[in-house]
Amino acid sequence: MNIIETYLAKAAGVAEAHAGDDLSCKVSYVAAHDVTAPIAIKMFREIGVSKVFDPDRVVLIVDHIYPAATEKARNSVWAMDDFAKEFGVHLYQRGEGVIHQLMYEKHRAAPGELIAIADSHTGTCGGYGAIGIGVGSTELAAAMATGRLDLEVPEVVQIYLNGKRPANVFGKDLILYLGSVFGTDYLVDKALLFTGPGIEEFSVAERMTVCNMGIEIGSMITLFGTTAREGDTAETREVDLSALEPQIAKPFSPANVVPVREVEGVKVTQVVVGSCTNGRINDMEQVAKAFEGKHVHPDVNTLIVPASRDVLEEMEARGWCKIIRDAGATVLNPGCGPCFGAHEGLTSERDVVVSTTNRNFPGRMGSMKANIYLASPATAAATALAGRITVPKAEG
């Protein structure tokens, strides 16, 4: 068995698990946010059970539309508040941050444990060794009641990393590059496993970025394993990190990827750095280093969205918020920001955006006609300063 099959077998309480097997797995944590939780809560009440499987392992987080931009959004928060008080589960509703970052900071699963979250980017936790399964609200309701999740063991595609990454290449560039390799459907219902000595080139935070976007290229599970090559996988592909360069996804797909140099010079009107993909302290460091003593281009609206309150407080302690504001950018409250397209920085048809978020479909950040490019914080910061898409200089 490979490492993913081993983890799934342990969660199911069976000796072995292989691709195609149907399992009922124990989950370590169950979570939902303000878009998916209200539906899950409704479904849970329809099941008719009197308690959740473990109140300490059920987490509700308000992050997609905070502060509430509509009456409907506010009512969703009230539904979560009522449920949390009734069943004693955890609730974060005061701008504490994005669900996947808060799960890492406050409710971190151990390597090999399973997490079920009603959000498509649950794979983020693969960056710290846990198995993240994104589920629908109905599945989540059942998991809240039982503490278990039914799934089929996926085939595993191994990405064996070697070489040293260039100084201006980050986790975002790696996963975008793989989008250009696999497209959006090759990995559907499969798992993506990163191994090899090259994994040590990426911090846990950078690995979380990679795993966050696994779903954008179809992966059901995305996980960083060990430096050893796994022998029992459906397929193995090798990536030489030293050959990578900064990547960017053009409109209108996260897999429509080219090297940044191929679109260098395209004028932009907005830059966004943040979200569950790239709102961690290492991402904010890239922005602060690029902005110090400089000013963003006058034609560019620059929004910086920390992934959590802890990240924001660390930015303030290091003086980065002042650097960013002095550069003419705006630091927003922790949360999803404009990524979901519900508030805080929405686009019009005239906008061209470079964003560190995870999706650039038509309408994702507002207008159906806005052009959204996806890139690393380093590329985004360089672009904000120049007013045009720009290849970032090597860090340091």
Side-chain angles (χ1 to χ4, degrees), residues 85-105:
K85 289 175 178 175
E86 181 178 351
F87 291 94
V89 305
H90 294 280
L91 173 63
Y92 298 90
Q93 61 171 321
R94 305 287 183 238
E96 291 91 345
V98 183
I99 190 167
H100 304 299
Q101 183 67 15
L102 284 183
M103 292 303 292
Y104 174 71
E105 293 175 357

Side-chain angles (χ1 to χ4, degrees), residues 344-357:
E344 290 193 320
L346 302 188
T347 59
S348 77
E349 63 181 16
R350 296 175 60 180
D351 282 304
V352 178
V353 182
V354 169
S355 177
T356 68
T357 53

Side-chain angles (χ1 to χ4, degrees), residues 269-288:
T269 61
Q270 180 160 290
V271 166
V272 178
V273 178
S275 85
C276 60
T277 313
N278 282 117
R280 284 170 278 279
I281 198 67
N282 59 305
D283 303 310
M284 298 301 140
E285 181 178 21
Q286 292 299 317
V287 176

Side-chain angles (χ1 to χ4, degrees), residues 20 28 56 58 77 94 131-132 149 176 207 219 252 264 323 327:
S28 178
D56 198 44
V58 177
V77 177
R94 305 287 183 238
I131 299 282
L149 181 68
L176 289 176
R207 296 178 186 189
S219 178
F252 290 96
E264 190 167 26
I323 289 173

Side-chain angles (χ1 to χ4, degrees), residues 68 94 117 120 144 157 233 259-260 276 279 305 335 348 351:
R94 305 287 183 238
I117 303 178
S120 52
M144 287 197 298
V157 175
T233 59
V260 176
C276 60
V305 194
S348 77
D351 282 304

Side-chain angles (χ1 to χ4, degrees), residues 3-61:
I3 191 172
I4 291 177
E5 292 170 339
T6 300
Y7 286 166
L8 293 178
K10 183 177 179 180
V14 298
E16 292 190 1
H18 301 281
D21 291 351
D22 292 320
L23 301 179
S24 176
C25 296
K26 176 184 176 182
V27 295
S28 178
Y29 288 99
V30 175
H33 51 65
D34 44 319
V35 175
T36 58
I39 305 169
I41 289 169
K42 180 177 181 293
M43 296 297 177
F44 181 89
R45 294 189 185 282
E46 290 179 0
I47 293 173
V49 294
S50 60
K51 61 181 181 180
V52 298
F53 81 100
D54 184 345
D56 198 44
R57 293 184 174 273
V58 177
V59 186
L60 304 179
I61 297 172

